[in-house]
Amino acid sequence: EPFGRQIWTLEAKQCRNANEDTEDGLEGNLRKEFINASENSRTSQIEADYSDLIQELASGGRSPLAFDPSKNPNSCDQLFRAQMILSYLERNGGKLPKDIAYLQNHKQKSDDKGQTTSDSNAPKTVIEAAKRGIAFYSLLQTPDGHWAGDYGGPHFLLPGLVVAWYVMGCPSVMISPPQQALMLHYLKVHQQEDGGWGTHIESPSTMFGTVICYLAVRLLGAKHDEDWIVKGRDFIQKEGGAVMTSSWAKFWLCLVGCMEWTGHNSVPPEMWLLPNWFPFHPGRLWCHCRMVYLPMGYLYGSRFVYSNAESDPLIAKLREELYCQAYESIDWDKTRHLVAPMDNYSPIPTFMKFAQNCLSIYENWTFFRPIKNAMRKAGLEFCLEYMRAEDLQTNYIDIGPVNKALNMVSAFHAANHDINDVAVRSHMMRVPDYLWIAEDGMKMQGYNGSQCWDTSFAIQAVWECGMLDKFPLLSSKVWAYLERCQILTTETSRSSPAFKYESCDNRDKFYRHVSKGGWPFSTSAHGWPISDCTGEGLKGVLALMDSPIVMKAVKKGILKNIEPSRLYDAVNVILTLQNEDGGWATYENNRGFGWYEELNPSEVFGDIMIDYSYVECSMASMTALVEFHEKFPNHRTREIKFAIHRGKEFMKSIQREDGSWYGSWACCFCYGCWFGIEGLIKAGESPSSPAIQKCCEFLLSHQRENGGWGEDFTSCYDKDYAAHGMQSYGDGGSGVVNTAWALMALSAAKCKDVEAIKRGVKYLMKRQLDCGDWPQEGISGVFNRACGITYTAYRNVFPIWALGRCAATYGCVLDRD
């Protein structure tokens, strides 16, 4: 399973011969098909000759390999992009794509400030700017067809992995000494001036971020008397010590032996023994919540603690450093509900506190011990069986980084601390899937990447620019990737252990929705399909079916065919994921109730208990059905039409009074408005309808003086449009990604304010770099209302898409001064 896997390695680069290329010879065969023999040369003598050019192209408008978090804590992904550009030049005899080839030949003139300018090479039309953007982005495509990028940002992910590594005996196969150094570097450069760390890279300091990052840097080898460590410790103690951090941080402290389990509220594994009809059952939780609290329940029920906690001098030292009083004197039970105001984004409701107090009695009173012990044993056995199923269904990747680390520790505990156990070693082999290196160091990503998601968007952008056949190698490689990436539909995936879990009995037992035919956020091996990823993946395939060149390669057998039955499977996934309210949630149908949020134990995240219907998931699913129906009008026609109708009504029902839609998975209202308008328009809503016009008015009211639009993660956090736009990391409060989303929404609605469209387009063209890239600005992704996450691909994909759409909608009027 190499397809889409992103692995950073210290191994020396291996020189390949001219006939050897990628898996199954895919790229070699495609190059023979689409590139003239005279242009299909290859050389390995590139890096030294072109090092300056490579660094310039990869820099994203910044100084090469420079990272200054006081100016912008977001990485540009310079290391990865430099590697991809080098690889491209090696494969193409040192030649760039013709649309940016001038960069290798011309000498730029210097203006009177000593800065470079290249006005003579600036795109003259909107579509030229889009084409230059595609040409640059083609440099970054991996050999198997996907685009990779930094999907970091949250600060609570890497520390969990570090704790897992430490309690498992610090195996170098999991985290090597060079990786330790890179992780330490990452955590050091993201420490804030007050000594703390935020929940994510743009967040102000929180106790959640600070306590868990401080724990990680000390476990990774930072000395207690280093200046930056002292600052971090001072921040923690000034806020009342680690007893004031949130419950997720407390859990990691308990595992490593820096907090007693009586200081953590109960996570009873026997909850899984409740009958499935019970109104509150963990199987009804949102899958990310469910799959985190599953191993938490196992580890809490087992009272797992690092085996050397009482003899390890570092743990003894941390017990001193993290608290404001002697560790032995702390009344742990009285600290269970303590949390710093800065962490308390989603305060624990009164009823939940009452329930936690009742569970504390259940845990500690001897009266309940016999029944508790019997039920706990059965609960632990089921948790272990469920985690093993999750591990096999996901090829040991697991749904996300938090349960990845927790499942790994659970497997280690179940194996009696045998580091050579098959399951434990399988887990450790998948750790690199989550690690990413950028100019700020090594981080743990929020997933094993966003490969399929970014690639599906990218190819739709190229399609809407009308340039699929102008970039035949790019388009063909995307087809190959999407074909391989569809879940449980390829010969490889059907022969894996994951396939047996697709049976009805196993899906019922382990609370899984149907997977076969869906597309993932990342890779097929990950194994979890998502409604919007399935929709965007399906739309990507349908778009490529409009390419004569790609279809010719399929017919000749150079590319594998995607049979209609596989598209039918994707449609089945989408149809079965529609909720009763007409919308679509993420991974599963909504199984719970709104009152579940009264039992949210996390403090730092909002709306995590059930899977809600979202505007993003609903648009992606609904528009995929629309586009599928256009090409396959006779397949499940009535069901599809009814699903589209219900989806359309749902999207209108969640539109806000001001005309906007709230974006739950990116920053924020520009994003939501794009999904809202596009979904309604493709479902048949007239551009002149009140819903569409009201949203257009909302967007136009937020256009900034420079022609762009801008927001940051505070829009998501506060659920209100950021008053100052992208003030900190944008350009005059505007950002290229937000501007692209706004333009895509307005052009989909055929907005009549052409001057506003022109100003937005000119802003994107002005911000485009000479090479066709755009600068990395502020964080663009978000999840659970309160945490930002990085998508470095967005700065390329969405400006290209917006320029292509605007050019197609408004024509040459945009090119006139």
Side-chain angles (χ1 to χ4, degrees):
E1 175 275 313
F3 312 125
R5 197 175 187 200
Q6 301 171 167
I7 298 294
W8 291 87
T9 177
L10 291 171
E11 295 178 8
K13 183 178 177 181
Q14 299 296 316
C15 294
R16 295 172 172 173
N17 63 52
N19 296 317
E20 183 186 0
D21 219 311
T22 59
E23 306 86 27
D24 305 323
L26 168 67
E27 180 154 323
N29 289 334
L30 291 173
R31 293 177 68 82
K32 291 176 184 176
E33 178 72 9
F34 299 126
I35 299 177
N36 294 331
S38 60
E39 300 175 2
N40 201 12
S41 58
R42 181 174 187 145
T43 178
S44 59
Q45 305 300 317
I46 292 293
E47 190 163 9
D49 296 339
Y50 292 91
S51 59
D52 290 343
L53 174 65
I54 291 169
Q55 291 301 329
E56 179 187 350
L57 291 170
S59 68
R62 299 181 187 174
S63 299
L65 295 182
F67 181 73
D68 185 350
S70 66
K71 294 181 179 178
N72 192 330
N74 296 273
S75 86
C76 271
D77 240 354
Q78 291 186 22
L79 278 74
F80 171 74
R81 291 182 172 219
Q83 289 192 9
M84 289 298 101
I85 294 165
L86 171 62
S87 176
Y88 183 95
L89 291 171
E90 288 177 342
R91 294 172 188 276
N92 291 276
K95 297 178 181 177
L96 290 172
K98 62 181 181 179
D99 294 286
I100 55 173
Y102 75 91
L103 291 168
Q104 292 176 293
N105 304 318
H106 84 294
K107 291 184 178 180
Q108 296 177 322
K109 300 177 182 178
S110 295
D111 63 19
D112 56 359
K113 295 182 180 178
Q115 298 173 328
T116 59
T117 178
S118 53
D119 290 343
S120 62
N121 295 297
K124 303 300 188 293
T125 66
V126 176
I127 201 64
E128 282 181 18
K131 190 176 183 183
R132 182 173 293 187
I134 298 170
F136 172 82
Y137 204 46
S138 71
L139 299 174
L140 309 182
Q141 191 179 24
T142 61
D144 68 8
H146 79 274
W147 279 273
D150 187 342
Y151 189 59
H155 278 155
F156 60 89
L157 305 178
L158 180 59
L161 176 65
V162 171
V163 170
W165 165 76
Y166 197 84
V167 302
M168 292 170 65
C170 304
S172 60
V173 70
M174 188 195 305
I175 299 178
S176 66
Q179 289 174 324
Q180 286 178 247
L182 285 164
M183 291 174 180
L184 264 177
H185 178 78
Y186 171 80
L187 291 166
K188 184 174 183 178
V189 299
H190 283 289
Q191 185 183 31
Q192 309 213 50
E193 290 184 358
D194 60 10
W197 284 266
T199 302
H200 58 89
I201 57 176
E202 289 189 15
S203 164
S205 294
T206 61
M207 280 293 279
F208 179 38
T210 302
V211 169
I212 200 167
C213 287
Y214 184 90
L215 175 65
V217 297
R218 292 288 279 120
L219 296 179
L220 286 168
K223 304 301 181 185
H224 78 281
D225 56 354
E226 295 180 49
D227 289 344
W228 65 294
I229 299 300
V230 173
K231 287 180 64 178
R233 185 162 62 246
D234 288 347
F235 181 94
I236 293 170
Q237 296 196 353
K238 184 180 71 174
E239 298 297 331
V243 294
M244 299 301 296
T245 192
S246 59
S247 59
W248 279 29
K250 289 177 179 178
F251 195 90
W252 293 112
L253 290 170
C254 290
L255 292 182
V256 80
C258 289
M259 179 175 281
E260 298 302 308
W261 278 114
T262 49
H264 194 284
N265 283 304
S266 175
V267 190
E270 47 269 37
M271 287 286 291
W272 290 99
L273 303 180
L274 291 168
N276 287 332
W277 53 260
F278 195 75
F280 183 79
H281 188 285
R284 295 175 180 264
L285 297 172
W286 179 43
C287 56
H288 272 285
C289 180
R290 181 171 81 238
M291 303 314 291
V292 166
Y293 282 99
L294 172 69
M296 277 188 173
Y298 176 82
L299 294 167
Y300 176 88
S302 303
R303 293 299 194 275
F304 177 94
V305 179
Y306 168 46
S307 58
N308 295 327
E310 298 306 319
S311 60
D312 189 327
L314 177 57
I315 300 304
K317 189 67 177 170
L318 281 166
R319 288 176 175 180
E320 294 178 12
E321 297 170 15
L322 289 168
Y323 301 100
C324 299
Q325 65 185 93
Y327 185 84
E328 296 77 11
S329 69
I330 298 173
D331 187 344
W332 292 105
D333 186 64
K334 291 183 178 179
T335 70
R336 287 184 297 109
H337 295 308
L338 296 180
V339 60
M342 64 181 68
D343 281 3
N344 209 16
Y345 177 72
S346 181
I348 304 294
T350 301
F351 179 78
M352 184 57 177
K353 286 185 179 180
F354 172 76
Q356 289 173 334
N357 289 336
C358 292
L359 285 171
S360 179
I361 295 172
Y362 166 76
E363 293 287 347
N364 296 304
W365 283 19
T366 55
F367 176 80
F368 295 107
R369 190 168 297 166
I371 188 171
K372 184 192 77 172
N373 290 345
M375 294 175 63
R376 181 139 299 175
K377 182 180 178 182
L380 290 171
E381 287 175 355
F382 179 79
C383 287
L384 195 59
E385 182 184 13
Y386 193 176
M387 284 187 287
R388 285 173 175 161
E390 160 75 352
D391 293 341
L392 290 173
Q393 283 176 289
T394 63
N395 298 280
Y396 289 92
I397 296 170
D398 297 323
I399 195 172
V402 177
N403 87 310
K404 166 63 183 174
L406 292 171
N407 277 26
M408 186 161 53
V409 175
S410 300
F412 177 70
H413 175 265
N416 296 314
H417 295 203
D418 180 5
I419 202 70
N420 293 310
D421 177 79
V422 172
V424 176
R425 293 193 68 82
S426 297
H427 262 297
M428 292 192 294
M429 288 170 63
R430 282 297 190 177
V431 168
D433 293 52
Y434 280 98
L435 302 180
W436 190 260
I437 301 176
E439 56 268 30
D440 55 348
M442 175 171 273
K443 64 203 74 176
M444 192 177 198
Q445 299 186 103
Y447 225 70
N448 64 320
S450 54
Q451 300 93 308
C452 188
W453 180 248
D454 293 339
T455 302
S456 299
F457 276 149
I459 200 60
Q460 290 180 75
V462 176
W463 170 73
E464 200 149 350
C465 290
M467 295 191 184
L468 291 176
D469 286 355
K470 289 182 171 61
F471 293 87
L473 187 59
L474 177 153
S475 300
S476 299
K477 287 164 64 177
V478 170
W479 175 278
Y481 185 73
L482 292 177
E483 186 277 326
R484 288 166 160 169
C485 206
Q486 193 179 15
I487 295 173
L488 298 180
T489 59
T490 64
E491 185 178 346
T492 301
S493 61
R494 288 196 300 269
S495 64
S496 71
F499 190 63
K500 76 172 186 178
Y501 288 98
E502 187 67 0
S503 69
C504 291
D505 289 344
N506 277 318
R507 285 195 287 108
D508 288 344
K509 183 175 184 179
F510 299 118
Y511 308 100
R512 283 288 294 259
H513 192 83
V514 62
S515 298
K516 182 173 179 258
W519 269 277
F521 186 72
S522 55
T523 62
S524 177
H526 182 275
W528 280 87
I530 313 175
S531 63
D532 52 356
C533 299
T534 300
E536 301 300 343
L538 177 57
K539 288 192 287 183
V541 171
L542 294 172
L544 286 163
M545 290 172 67
D546 290 339
S547 166
I549 286 181
V550 171
M551 291 297 96
K552 182 179 178 181
V554 170
K555 189 174 182 180
K556 293 173 70 172
I558 299 170
L559 294 171
K560 291 183 179 179
N561 190 21
I562 300 177
E563 299 290 342
S565 60
R566 291 175 60 176
L567 304 185
Y568 300 164
D569 287 339
V571 168
N572 182 62
V573 170
I574 293 172
L575 288 173
T576 56
L577 280 172
Q578 190 171 28
N579 281 326
E580 290 183 2
D581 61 10
W584 279 263
T586 56
Y587 297 81
E588 299 163 342
N589 300 106
N590 182 347
R591 302 170 177 177
F593 307 95
W595 56 262
Y596 274 32
E597 294 301 338
E598 294 298 308
L599 300 172
N600 179 357
S602 72
E603 301 115 351
V604 293
F605 302 121
D607 297 343
I608 66 167
M609 298 296 284
I610 59 176
D611 208 349
Y612 297 90
S613 293
Y614 297 99
V615 66
E616 299 99 321
C617 297
S618 300
M619 180 278 248
S621 301
M622 188 169 60
T623 55
L625 292 177
V626 170
E627 294 182 18
F628 171 84
H629 182 66
E630 290 173 356
K631 282 187 165 61
F632 298 89
N634 298 319
H635 181 74
R636 300 177 72 168
T637 304
R638 292 181 63 186
E639 291 176 75
I640 289 173
K641 287 184 175 180
F642 186 52
I644 293 168
H645 171 74
R646 292 177 60 220
K648 175 183 172 183
E649 294 306 308
F650 167 77
M651 293 184 68
K652 292 170 76 171
S653 74
I654 62 169
Q655 187 176 21
R656 291 161 56 114
E657 285 295 321
D658 60 9
S660 69
W661 279 270
Y662 177 84
S664 296
W665 302 102
C667 306
C668 161
F669 291 98
C670 292
Y671 189 66
C673 289
W674 163 46
F675 279 95
I677 285 180
E678 182 143 336
L680 291 183
I681 292 291
K682 288 201 173 182
E685 189 79 3
S686 169
S688 61
S689 77
I692 300 297
Q693 289 303 307
K694 197 170 184 180
C695 188
C696 289
E697 291 169 8
F698 171 87
L699 287 172
L700 292 171
S701 72
H702 288 286
Q703 188 172 25
R704 303 186 71 83
E705 289 184 7
N706 59 12
W709 282 261
E711 296 177 80
D712 58 21
F713 87 97
T714 62
S715 284
C716 309
Y717 192 92
D718 298 331
K719 298 185 180 181
D720 193 21
Y721 198 99
H724 302 291
M726 190 180 285
Q727 183 178 34
S728 298
Y729 310 117
D731 169 54
S734 296
V736 295
V737 177
N738 290 121
T739 300
W741 289 332
L743 287 172
M744 289 173 68
L746 293 168
S747 53
K750 294 181 172 56
C751 174
K752 295 180 180 179
D753 190 343
V754 179
E755 188 59 33
I757 300 294
K758 184 183 292 188
R759 290 173 60 222
V761 165
K762 295 299 183 186
Y763 175 81
L764 287 184
M765 293 177 68
K766 183 189 76 171
R767 292 288 284 164
Q768 189 176 31
L769 304 175
D770 285 349
C771 61
D773 193 8
W774 277 269
Q776 180 66 46
E777 297 170 332
I779 207 162
S780 54
V782 75
F783 63 93
N784 297 344
R785 304 284 189 261
C787 192
I789 195 161
T790 302
Y791 289 88
T792 52
Y794 280 13
R795 79 180 199 242
N796 300 99
V797 172
F798 288 110
I800 291 169
W801 200 343
L803 292 174
R805 175 173 292 184
C806 289
T809 303
Y810 296 97
C812 61
V813 67
L814 299 180
D815 300 323
R816 299 171 189 157
D817 293 329

